[in-house]
Structure formats: C-alpha cells, structure tokens
C-alpha cells in the first residue's frame, strides 16, 4: 500500500504543482509500448463556425489535469491500478490549413493507437476532430454507437461550402456508415438555430435526441437508463462537448448556449455509464482564450478523468 509518505519515484505522487504537465500526470509515452489507455491531444480548431481557440485546449487541459488524483471517490475506480495509462502526445499535422489533410493525420494517429491495442481518449480541439477518430475506430461493416453530450447535434450539412466543420462530424460519420444512428443518443441539445436541418437529420436517421427540457423532466437517472438502453452491449464511444454544460461552468468554449447541464449532473451521468462496451472517448471545445479563470479547462480535465475511469472498467 503506497501512502503519501512513501510514494517512491512515481511522478504521479509528487506534489501536484511539480513535474511536466502531462494528462493526469501520467507518464509521457509516445511510442505506445505496452499502453492500455492512450490519452492524446488534438490541437485543432480549423472547424469552428464561431469563436476559435480550442487548438489551445489540450495544453490547458493538461495543465488543469494536474489537479486530478487517482481514486474516484464515487465509484472507487482507480484507473491507473493494474493498467498502463499514458499521455501519448498530440497529433502531428502535416498541414494545418486544410481540413481534409488534418482529418487524415488524426485518423492515422488514432489508427496507430488502436493497432497498438490501446483505447484512445482525446482532448480537443473543436468537435470536427471526432469524425476522423471514428474513421479509425469503425467501418461500415462494424459501425459504433455513441453517447454524445452537447448543446448541438453536430449533424449539420456543409457550412459555406465546407463539409468538414465542428457542426457536422456525426452527419459525416452516419452518412459513411461508421456511426449507427439507432445506437446513438444525443443529450443536452438546446439553443436556437437559423436552420433546422441538423435536428431534422438526427430525427430522420433515428438517433435518440434528448433536448435539455426533456433532460430536466426525466432527471439524470432516467437519462442514464435511456442511454444504456439505446447503446446496448455493442461498441460505444463517448463524445463530450463542454458546451453541453451550462456556460456558468464552462464559459471558455466556441459556441456557448445558456440553460445547460450542471457539472454535478454531468459527473453523475458519466458515472452511470460504467460497464458499457466503451471503445474510446473525447472531451472537446475547451477554448482557453475565452476561459480567463481556467475553470472550463478544469471541468474538461475532470470530465476526461471520469471518462478515463469508465474506459478502465
Ligand atoms: Mn459539439
């Protein structure tokens, strides 16, 4: 039993303001050797339709994640116990002004993680990054399910002639047969739109969309049960856009929408997803330039830790 008095040489047990700020203070291991869960950054925000800055998300989430500890007080899971959890670095981009080229780099990076036998856990980046992640995780023959927490369905069509943007990843993934719409639940949706085609697309494809009003009416426990029913036993991905949370907690994001999920509801909800067949996850849309107190990045790091605990189960 390691205690605070005899922690040995493990940097995770050093005082938390020390050492290099990797995700959760896990070892930095870009070679992926023996890694079970690979945390990585996708420092890209070329897909935003409004306020930029999410390219700075991974670094600031790393910084705030120094505040995380090992044992989850609610579930008693210690994700570091008996498995290798590592920070494997950021996706390297061959080009940064070409969304299609960026997508190819993200896909190749995640494919390397999967081929090494590790489960990928990303810090974005804007939400456009999840589409190339899905290209590495799924095929039309073996589509995946998804639990998606967000203010927006992100199933919109092209924006000003560009189909790769942060409002479209799940339409692209669904059109390509990578995402099974009948095993998809979108939670926390809200905010006025100028066109309804994203909402319509999700409904037409058969995705389960829980608008924030229904979320409030149902309560967290019923939403958890609904999500578990929708995704079932099949391979499932968790994608958490911090704009699903109310901007009083997460103001530092590209497209904030008031009237959202509280951080306490979000943590309770995530803890309800233990034991599902989870194949990866991400936390996206933390935009440090709009986050003067650092709290959005702290929330992002905490959500990432909770998803890490789920992936470890
Ligand atoms: Mn989103």
């Amino acid at each position: 039993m390691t205690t605070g008095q005899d922690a040995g040489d493990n940097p995770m047990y050093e005082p938390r303001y020390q050492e290099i700020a990797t995700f959760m203070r896990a070892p930095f291991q870009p070679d992926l050797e023996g890694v079970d869960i690979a945390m990585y950054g996708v420092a890209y925000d070329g897909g935003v339709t409004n306020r930029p800055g999410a390219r700075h998300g991974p670094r600031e989430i790393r910084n705030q994640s120094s505040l995380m500890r090992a044992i989850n007080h609610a579930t008693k899971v210690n994700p570091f116990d008996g498995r290798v959890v590592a920070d494997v670095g950021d996706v390297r981009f061959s080009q940064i002004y070409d969304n299609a080229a960026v997508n190819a780099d993200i896909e190749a990076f995640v494919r390397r993680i999967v081929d090494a036998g590790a489960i990928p856990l990303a810090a974005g980046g804007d939400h456009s990054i999840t589409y190339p992640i899905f290209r590495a995780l799924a095929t039309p023959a073996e589509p995946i399910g998804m639990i998606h927490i967000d203010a927006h369905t992100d199933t919109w069509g092209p924006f000003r002639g560009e189909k790769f943007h942060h409002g479209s990843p799940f339409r692209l993934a669904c059109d390509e047969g990578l995402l099974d719409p009948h095993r998809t639940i979108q939670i926390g949706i809200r905010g006025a739109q100028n066109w309804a085609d994203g909402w319509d697309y999700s409904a037409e494809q058969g995705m389960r969309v829980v608008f924030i009003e229904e979320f409030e009416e149902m309560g967290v426990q019923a939403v958890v049960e609904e999500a578990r029913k929708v995704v079932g036993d099949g391979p499932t991905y968790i994608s958490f856009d911090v704009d699903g949370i109310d901007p009083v907690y997460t103001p530092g994001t590209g497209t904030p929408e008031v009237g959202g999920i509280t951080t306490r509801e979000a943590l309770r909800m995530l803890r309800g997803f233990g034991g599902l067949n989870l194949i990866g996850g991400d936390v996206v849309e933390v935009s440090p330039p709009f986050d003067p107190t650092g709290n959005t990045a702290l929330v992002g790091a905490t959500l990432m830790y909770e998803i890490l605990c789920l992936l470890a189960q």
Side-chain angles (χ1 to χ4, degrees), residues 127 148 150 152 154 166 170 241 243 284-285:
H127 221 154
H148 171 208
D150 202 318
H152 316 98
D154 294 354
H166 75 160
F170 305 123
D241 186 325
D243 74 24
V284 297
E285 298 282 353

Side-chain angles (χ1 to χ4, degrees), residues 5 18 26-27 30 82 90 101-102 114 123-124 174 180 222 228-229 257 262 294 301:
Q5 298 308 310
Q18 290 188 194
D90 288 349
V102 163
V114 175
C174 196
D180 181 352
R228 297 188 71 102
K229 203 174 75 191
E257 305 286 355
T262 69

